[in-house]
Amino acid sequence: MDQQDIEILTDTLANLRLQADINLAPKFPHFAGKPYPLGRCLEIRDEMFTLITAELKSNTQRLAILKNYMRTKRTELKKVWGSLRDEYFQNAILVGDWYIDTANDTVNANKPRVEIKPISQSGFTAISHFGQFVKIARSYWQVDIYRNTAFPAIAPYLPLICVNEQGATWLAAANDDMIKVATESKFLLSEDILKQLPEPTESIVSRWQNTLLTLHEPDELLLKTGSPQAYCKKYRDTEKAADIVFRDKVVRAYMSLPKGA
């Protein structure tokens, strides 16, 4: 695609984004006290991916430039999440050599809705270790981050406890990308960040453990005690990193918890 193609495609997607906003704004009017679209890059990216995919399958010529590019390059649209210049977490779309940000205004609402750049110029990268995640989260989310000693048996997969300025707390990083960082390193990267981070206060740990009282039958993994670092070594020694069944068990245990404590 040349520059003229990119300008036309950007305008077309910006118009399509208006439909996404109509669909989403009533459902998500606020995020952490901020009005839509701020903080809604995931929801917007997913809605735009759905709209773009439907448009590509239709008989209209609205996205002919994108359709022709995908056919020529034999490539598909791909949802991605990662770091934007190590300043923000970002949900975007990749296609061939291009980075498509359909939620470009979710940090600064005055920016254009859509931005398209060559991937090499976008500043977008995958997150390769937990230290990178922590650095971005601390500044972007304005949070303190502690090692997950509340639920040590799932800490090799979810090693972080975040606490924001209002005192709300949640486990991180609960997405496939960061769980993959943990497992592909055989929990060495999890163990490394667990060693670096401070202990959470007793109050934070108690709040999380008290959430178990709200569950009818708490998952056995959530009831285990011990050192999260020791669980990293144990799971490495027993080759849990390659065990998809066990990974899914950990995810189910996490999903059984409230989203915050």
Side-chain angles (χ1 to χ4, degrees):
M1 294 186 286
D2 59 24
Q3 187 57 40
Q4 185 178 8
D5 287 339
I6 293 301
E7 290 175 3
I8 294 171
L9 181 57
T10 299
D11 288 344
T12 303
L13 293 180
N15 286 327
L16 194 61
R17 180 50 207 279
L18 295 175
Q19 181 59 53
D21 291 339
I22 291 171
N23 296 345
L24 294 174
K27 299 178 184 177
F28 307 105
H30 297 96
F31 179 82
K34 300 174 184 178
Y36 180 91
L38 298 178
R40 293 297 182 185
C41 68
L42 171 62
E43 292 83 2
I44 292 171
R45 190 280 311 276
D46 285 354
E47 181 72 11
M48 283 294 289
F49 191 92
T50 298
L51 293 174
I52 292 168
T53 300
E55 196 72 29
L56 289 171
K57 291 179 179 178
S58 72
N59 292 323
T60 70
Q61 294 300 306
R62 193 176 186 186
L63 290 177
I65 290 172
L66 181 59
K67 188 180 293 187
N68 291 337
Y69 174 79
M70 291 170 63
R71 183 185 303 115
T72 301
K73 295 292 184 177
R74 296 182 180 178
T75 188
E76 301 291 336
L77 297 179
K78 180 182 178 183
K79 292 182 183 181
V80 291
W81 171 87
S83 162
L84 191 60
R85 300 182 299 274
D86 275 1
E87 297 175 12
Y88 315 114
F89 298 119
Q90 185 66 13
N91 291 277
I93 298 170
L94 299 186
V95 58
D97 299 324
W98 294 92
Y99 166 87
I100 303 177
D101 183 356
T102 58
N104 190 48
D105 56 342
T106 56
V107 174
N108 180 349
N110 294 318
K111 294 178 70 176
R113 288 183 175 88
V114 175
E115 180 179 71
I116 303 176
K117 287 185 175 183
I119 296 171
S120 60
Q121 299 175 21
S122 67
F124 180 85
T125 60
I127 295 177
S128 59
H129 58 90
F130 287 101
Q132 183 183 10
F133 180 95
V134 167
K135 177 185 176 183
I136 300 168
R138 280 174 172 158
S139 61
Y140 183 34
W141 290 343
Q142 296 293 296
V143 293
D144 293 322
I145 303 182
Y146 305 92
R147 71 181 65 147
N148 180 8
T149 56
F151 304 110
I154 66 171
Y157 295 83
L158 299 160
L160 314 176
I161 295 178
C162 298
V163 183
N164 70 12
E165 293 175 339
Q166 291 73 43
T169 174
W170 62 94
L171 302 184
N175 62 48
D176 289 340
D177 298 85
M178 294 310 298
I179 290 176
K180 188 176 180 181
V181 168
T183 56
E184 288 194 344
S185 71
K186 298 182 179 179
F187 309 111
L188 287 170
L189 292 178
S190 305
E191 190 173 357
D192 184 53
I193 198 65
L194 286 164
K195 290 176 180 177
Q196 295 179 42
L197 291 174
E199 292 271 353
T201 64
E202 290 185 10
S203 172
I204 293 170
V205 173
S206 294
R207 282 163 60 188
W208 273 110
Q209 292 181 342
N210 285 341
T211 64
L212 299 180
L213 301 176
T214 67
L215 305 180
H216 177 60
E217 292 184 5
D219 191 286
E220 61 179 11
L221 285 173
L222 303 176
L223 299 174
K224 292 182 180 293
T225 59
S227 160
Q229 296 98 304
Y231 276 101
C232 290
K233 184 178 185 306
K234 177 181 178 181
Y235 292 169
R236 186 161 54 250
D237 292 345
T238 55
E239 300 184 347
K240 294 298 187 190
D243 188 337
I244 300 300
V245 173
F246 187 74
R247 174 205 180 278
D248 291 348
K249 180 176 173 59
V250 169
V251 171
R252 285 195 298 271
Y254 163 76
M255 293 296 292
S256 73
L257 289 167
K259 295 304 180 185

